[in-house]
Amino acid sequence: MSRSPSQDLDEHADALPRQQRTYSIGELARMFEVTPRTIRFYEQEGLLAPSRQGQKRIYREKDRVRLKLTLRGKRLGFSLAEIREVVMMYDAMPDGNARQLKRLLEILEEKRANLDRQMEDIRLMRLEIDDVDQRARDVLRQLGKEEESRKP
């Protein structure tokens, strides 16, 4: 049975306490199935802050968690500003977790309301499309009847 790179990384990570574990950009890229360029972009946006040894980036557990939160936020449709806000709250202690969760719930409610509006817009657009479709078919049928009546 073949093993995934993330399984190998997970086993290697178990050898060290989580807080001491470090990751290369390649390890994180494989772990989260993203490109190193994606990780560098999130670093440029201030969502990740690896230390450096010369040109080499050294990511800590905090960066791994931030990347995980960032990617999850993107999948949920959060903007980078919204992700940044939640991630920054993750870092703020001692009440960061409660504040983060409350703000996350606010953002989720905003997303839910936006999706509801979009669904209603789509429903109305479908009705309009169906109406135009039906009128076009009626006109086409009428034109077909007129052509039939003109034939000798």
Side-chain angles (χ1 to χ4, degrees):
M1 183 152 93
S2 72
R3 297 165 50 85
S4 73
S6 64
Q7 287 173 321
D8 291 336
L9 287 173
D10 288 343
E11 279 187 13
H12 179 64
D14 290 340
L16 289 172
R18 250 217 210 272
Q19 296 302 333
Q20 294 177 11
R21 172 78 168 98
T22 62
Y23 306 88
S24 70
I25 195 167
E27 286 174 317
L28 285 180
R30 284 188 299 278
M31 186 181 294
F32 291 103
E33 299 178 344
V34 297
T35 64
R37 182 178 175 158
T38 297
I39 295 172
R40 286 190 299 271
F41 172 76
Y42 291 136
E43 180 184 344
Q44 181 182 342
E45 290 295 315
L47 294 167
L48 303 174
S51 58
R52 291 190 182 255
Q53 288 180 349
Q55 290 293 318
K56 184 178 178 184
R57 292 170 167 86
I58 308 295
Y59 295 90
R60 305 223 177 277
E61 180 63 17
K62 181 178 179 178
D63 296 305
R64 187 193 68 80
V65 172
R66 286 171 143 241
L67 180 58
K68 183 177 181 179
L69 290 171
T70 299
L71 294 171
R72 184 174 294 151
K74 287 306 288 179
R75 277 194 310 274
L76 292 172
F78 287 23
S79 69
L80 283 178
E82 291 166 329
I83 292 169
R84 188 176 296 105
E85 181 179 0
V86 172
V87 166
M88 294 304 171
M89 281 187 264
Y90 169 79
D91 291 340
M93 293 296 166
D95 65 343
N97 288 337
R99 281 193 0 233
Q100 178 189 19
L101 290 172
K102 286 177 184 175
R103 180 60 184 140
L104 177 61
L105 291 172
E106 290 172 5
I107 293 170
L108 289 173
E109 185 56 37
E110 291 168 11
K111 293 291 178 197
R112 188 177 291 113
N114 191 37
L115 285 172
D116 288 342
R117 280 190 301 275
Q118 288 176 333
M119 286 172 52
E120 180 62 13
D121 289 345
I122 290 169
R123 186 186 72 76
L124 292 173
M125 183 63 77
R126 288 282 312 254
L127 288 174
E128 290 178 30
I129 288 171
D130 291 346
D131 182 52
V132 170
D133 180 271
Q134 188 58 53
R135 283 191 273 154
R137 291 176 189 279
D138 291 346
V139 169
L140 194 56
R141 267 193 297 277
Q142 189 62 33
L143 289 173
K145 288 180 185 177
E146 289 175 12
E147 283 183 19
E148 287 292 320
S149 66
R150 285 190 217 156
K151 288 184 179 176

PDB file of all heavy atoms in Angstrom, residues 45-60:
ATOM      1  N   GLU A  45       1.449  38.451   2.177  1.00  0.00           N
ATOM      2  CA  GLU A  45       0.223  39.087   2.671  1.00  0.00           C
ATOM      3  C   GLU A  45       0.214  39.227   4.196  1.00  0.00           C
ATOM      4  O   GLU A  45      -0.745  39.738   4.767  1.00  0.00           O
ATOM      5  CB  GLU A  45      -1.004  38.287   2.218  1.00  0.00           C
ATOM      6  CG  GLU A  45      -1.266  38.369   0.731  1.00  0.00           C
ATOM      7  CD  GLU A  45      -1.616  39.773   0.276  1.00  0.00           C
ATOM      8  OE1 GLU A  45      -2.432  40.444   0.945  1.00  0.00           O
ATOM      9  OE2 GLU A  45      -1.063  40.214  -0.751  1.00  0.00           O
ATOM     10  N   GLY A  46       1.258  38.731   4.859  1.00  0.00           N
ATOM     11  CA  GLY A  46       1.357  38.871   6.309  1.00  0.00           C
ATOM     12  C   GLY A  46       0.636  37.797   7.093  1.00  0.00           C
ATOM     13  O   GLY A  46       0.480  37.916   8.307  1.00  0.00           O
ATOM     14  N   LEU A  47       0.199  36.745   6.409  1.00  0.00           N
ATOM     15  CA  LEU A  47      -0.513  35.673   7.110  1.00  0.00           C
ATOM     16  C   LEU A  47       0.438  34.629   7.691  1.00  0.00           C
ATOM     17  O   LEU A  47       0.068  33.900   8.603  1.00  0.00           O
ATOM     18  CB  LEU A  47      -1.514  35.008   6.158  1.00  0.00           C
ATOM     19  CG  LEU A  47      -2.662  35.921   5.723  1.00  0.00           C
ATOM     20  CD1 LEU A  47      -3.411  35.314   4.545  1.00  0.00           C
ATOM     21  CD2 LEU A  47      -3.601  36.187   6.881  1.00  0.00           C
ATOM     22  N   LEU A  48       1.632  34.558   7.167  1.00  0.00           N
ATOM     23  CA  LEU A  48       2.661  33.644   7.666  1.00  0.00           C
ATOM     24  C   LEU A  48       3.920  34.451   7.938  1.00  0.00           C
ATOM     25  O   LEU A  48       4.191  35.428   7.229  1.00  0.00           O
ATOM     26  CB  LEU A  48       2.964  32.553   6.629  1.00  0.00           C
ATOM     27  CG  LEU A  48       1.805  31.696   6.159  1.00  0.00           C
ATOM     28  CD1 LEU A  48       2.245  30.769   5.028  1.00  0.00           C
ATOM     29  CD2 LEU A  48       1.220  30.894   7.303  1.00  0.00           C
ATOM     30  N   ALA A  49       4.679  34.027   8.951  1.00  0.00           N
ATOM     31  CA  ALA A  49       5.900  34.768   9.292  1.00  0.00           C
ATOM     32  C   ALA A  49       7.016  33.791   9.652  1.00  0.00           C
ATOM     33  O   ALA A  49       7.369  33.636  10.818  1.00  0.00           O
ATOM     34  CB  ALA A  49       5.614  35.724  10.452  1.00  0.00           C
ATOM     35  N   PRO A  50       7.563  33.111   8.646  1.00  0.00           N
ATOM     36  CA  PRO A  50       8.632  32.162   8.947  1.00  0.00           C
ATOM     37  C   PRO A  50       9.916  32.886   9.342  1.00  0.00           C
ATOM     38  O   PRO A  50      10.146  34.023   8.955  1.00  0.00           O
ATOM     39  CB  PRO A  50       8.825  31.428   7.621  1.00  0.00           C
ATOM     40  CG  PRO A  50       8.433  32.435   6.587  1.00  0.00           C
ATOM     41  CD  PRO A  50       7.296  33.209   7.213  1.00  0.00           C
ATOM     42  N   SER A  51      10.734  32.177  10.119  1.00  0.00           N
ATOM     43  CA  SER A  51      12.075  32.703  10.376  1.00  0.00           C
ATOM     44  C   SER A  51      12.936  32.291   9.187  1.00  0.00           C
ATOM     45  O   SER A  51      12.494  31.527   8.322  1.00  0.00           O
ATOM     46  CB  SER A  51      12.617  32.151  11.697  1.00  0.00           C
ATOM     47  OG  SER A  51      12.644  30.744  11.672  1.00  0.00           O
ATOM     48  N   ARG A  52      14.140  32.802   9.136  1.00  0.00           N
ATOM     49  CA  ARG A  52      15.018  32.496   8.000  1.00  0.00           C
ATOM     50  C   ARG A  52      16.392  32.077   8.477  1.00  0.00           C
ATOM     51  O   ARG A  52      16.895  32.584   9.466  1.00  0.00           O
ATOM     52  CB  ARG A  52      15.133  33.698   7.079  1.00  0.00           C
ATOM     53  CG  ARG A  52      13.853  34.002   6.353  1.00  0.00           C
ATOM     54  CD  ARG A  52      14.112  35.053   5.288  1.00  0.00           C
ATOM     55  NE  ARG A  52      12.904  35.405   4.616  1.00  0.00           N
ATOM     56  CZ  ARG A  52      12.575  35.009   3.388  1.00  0.00           C
ATOM     57  NH1 ARG A  52      13.382  34.248   2.711  1.00  0.00           N
ATOM     58  NH2 ARG A  52      11.454  35.383   2.849  1.00  0.00           N
ATOM     59  N   GLN A  53      16.941  31.158   7.709  1.00  0.00           N
ATOM     60  CA  GLN A  53      18.354  30.798   7.850  1.00  0.00           C
ATOM     61  C   GLN A  53      18.952  31.034   6.473  1.00  0.00           C
ATOM     62  O   GLN A  53      18.824  30.192   5.592  1.00  0.00           O
ATOM     63  CB  GLN A  53      18.515  29.331   8.261  1.00  0.00           C
ATOM     64  CG  GLN A  53      18.128  29.044   9.682  1.00  0.00           C
ATOM     65  CD  GLN A  53      18.312  27.576  10.037  1.00  0.00           C
ATOM     66  OE1 GLN A  53      18.535  26.733   9.176  1.00  0.00           O
ATOM     67  NE2 GLN A  53      18.200  27.282  11.314  1.00  0.00           N
ATOM     68  N   GLY A  54      19.525  32.206   6.282  1.00  0.00           N
ATOM     69  CA  GLY A  54      19.988  32.598   4.956  1.00  0.00           C
ATOM     70  C   GLY A  54      18.767  32.797   4.062  1.00  0.00           C
ATOM     71  O   GLY A  54      17.877  33.559   4.388  1.00  0.00           O
ATOM     72  N   GLN A  55      18.719  32.064   2.952  1.00  0.00           N
ATOM     73  CA  GLN A  55      17.580  32.149   2.036  1.00  0.00           C
ATOM     74  C   GLN A  55      16.468  31.169   2.397  1.00  0.00           C
ATOM     75  O   GLN A  55      15.377  31.228   1.858  1.00  0.00           O
ATOM     76  CB  GLN A  55      18.044  31.872   0.602  1.00  0.00           C
ATOM     77  CG  GLN A  55      18.907  32.970   0.018  1.00  0.00           C
ATOM     78  CD  GLN A  55      18.136  34.258  -0.178  1.00  0.00           C
ATOM     79  OE1 GLN A  55      16.996  34.256  -0.628  1.00  0.00           O
ATOM     80  NE2 GLN A  55      18.748  35.374   0.182  1.00  0.00           N
ATOM     81  N   LYS A  56      16.755  30.242   3.297  1.00  0.00           N
ATOM     82  CA  LYS A  56      15.809  29.176   3.640  1.00  0.00           C
ATOM     83  C   LYS A  56      14.769  29.658   4.657  1.00  0.00           C
ATOM     84  O   LYS A  56      15.113  30.248   5.677  1.00  0.00           O
ATOM     85  CB  LYS A  56      16.579  27.984   4.201  1.00  0.00           C
ATOM     86  CG  LYS A  56      15.720  26.790   4.492  1.00  0.00           C
ATOM     87  CD  LYS A  56      16.569  25.624   4.993  1.00  0.00           C
ATOM     88  CE  LYS A  56      15.692  24.446   5.339  1.00  0.00           C
ATOM     89  NZ  LYS A  56      16.474  23.355   5.914  1.00  0.00           N
ATOM     90  N   ARG A  57      13.502  29.402   4.355  1.00  0.00           N
ATOM     91  CA  ARG A  57      12.420  29.742   5.264  1.00  0.00           C
ATOM     92  C   ARG A  57      12.216  28.584   6.247  1.00  0.00           C
ATOM     93  O   ARG A  57      12.159  27.429   5.840  1.00  0.00           O
ATOM     94  CB  ARG A  57      11.120  29.967   4.490  1.00  0.00           C
ATOM     95  CG  ARG A  57      11.119  31.194   3.611  1.00  0.00           C
ATOM     96  CD  ARG A  57       9.880  31.163   2.707  1.00  0.00           C
ATOM     97  NE  ARG A  57       9.639  32.417   2.057  1.00  0.00           N
ATOM     98  CZ  ARG A  57      10.201  32.773   0.900  1.00  0.00           C
ATOM     99  NH1 ARG A  57      11.048  31.964   0.290  1.00  0.00           N
ATOM    100  NH2 ARG A  57       9.922  33.933   0.353  1.00  0.00           N
ATOM    101  N   ILE A  58      12.043  28.925   7.512  1.00  0.00           N
ATOM    102  CA  ILE A  58      11.789  27.932   8.550  1.00  0.00           C
ATOM    103  C   ILE A  58      10.416  28.234   9.150  1.00  0.00           C
ATOM    104  O   ILE A  58      10.207  29.268   9.789  1.00  0.00           O
ATOM    105  CB  ILE A  58      12.857  27.989   9.676  1.00  0.00           C
ATOM    106  CG1 ILE A  58      14.265  27.911   9.103  1.00  0.00           C
ATOM    107  CG2 ILE A  58      12.591  26.897  10.714  1.00  0.00           C
ATOM    108  CD1 ILE A  58      14.602  26.612   8.436  1.00  0.00           C
ATOM    109  N   TYR A  59       9.469  27.327   8.910  1.00  0.00           N
ATOM    110  CA  TYR A  59       8.111  27.506   9.399  1.00  0.00           C
ATOM    111  C   TYR A  59       7.928  26.720  10.690  1.00  0.00           C
ATOM    112  O   TYR A  59       8.362  25.580  10.806  1.00  0.00           O
ATOM    113  CB  TYR A  59       7.097  27.019   8.358  1.00  0.00           C
ATOM    114  CG  TYR A  59       7.128  27.840   7.092  1.00  0.00           C
ATOM    115  CD1 TYR A  59       7.970  27.492   6.047  1.00  0.00           C
ATOM    116  CD2 TYR A  59       6.331  28.967   6.951  1.00  0.00           C
ATOM    117  CE1 TYR A  59       8.014  28.243   4.885  1.00  0.00           C
ATOM    118  CE2 TYR A  59       6.361  29.730   5.795  1.00  0.00           C
ATOM    119  CZ  TYR A  59       7.210  29.357   4.768  1.00  0.00           C
ATOM    120  OH  TYR A  59       7.255  30.106   3.627  1.00  0.00           O
ATOM    121  N   ARG A  60       7.264  27.323  11.654  1.00  0.00           N
ATOM    122  CA  ARG A  60       6.990  26.688  12.939  1.00  0.00           C
ATOM    123  C   ARG A  60       5.540  26.202  12.971  1.00  0.00           C
ATOM    124  O   ARG A  60       4.785  26.411  12.027  1.00  0.00           O
ATOM    125  CB  ARG A  60       7.245  27.675  14.066  1.00  0.00           C
ATOM    126  CG  ARG A  60       8.640  28.271  14.020  1.00  0.00           C
ATOM    127  CD  ARG A  60       9.273  28.345  15.380  1.00  0.00           C
ATOM    128  NE  ARG A  60      10.638  28.859  15.341  1.00  0.00           N
ATOM    129  CZ  ARG A  60      11.711  28.131  15.063  1.00  0.00           C
ATOM    130  NH1 ARG A  60      11.588  26.874  14.772  1.00  0.00           N
ATOM    131  NH2 ARG A  60      12.906  28.669  15.057  1.00  0.00           N
TER     132      ARG A  60
END
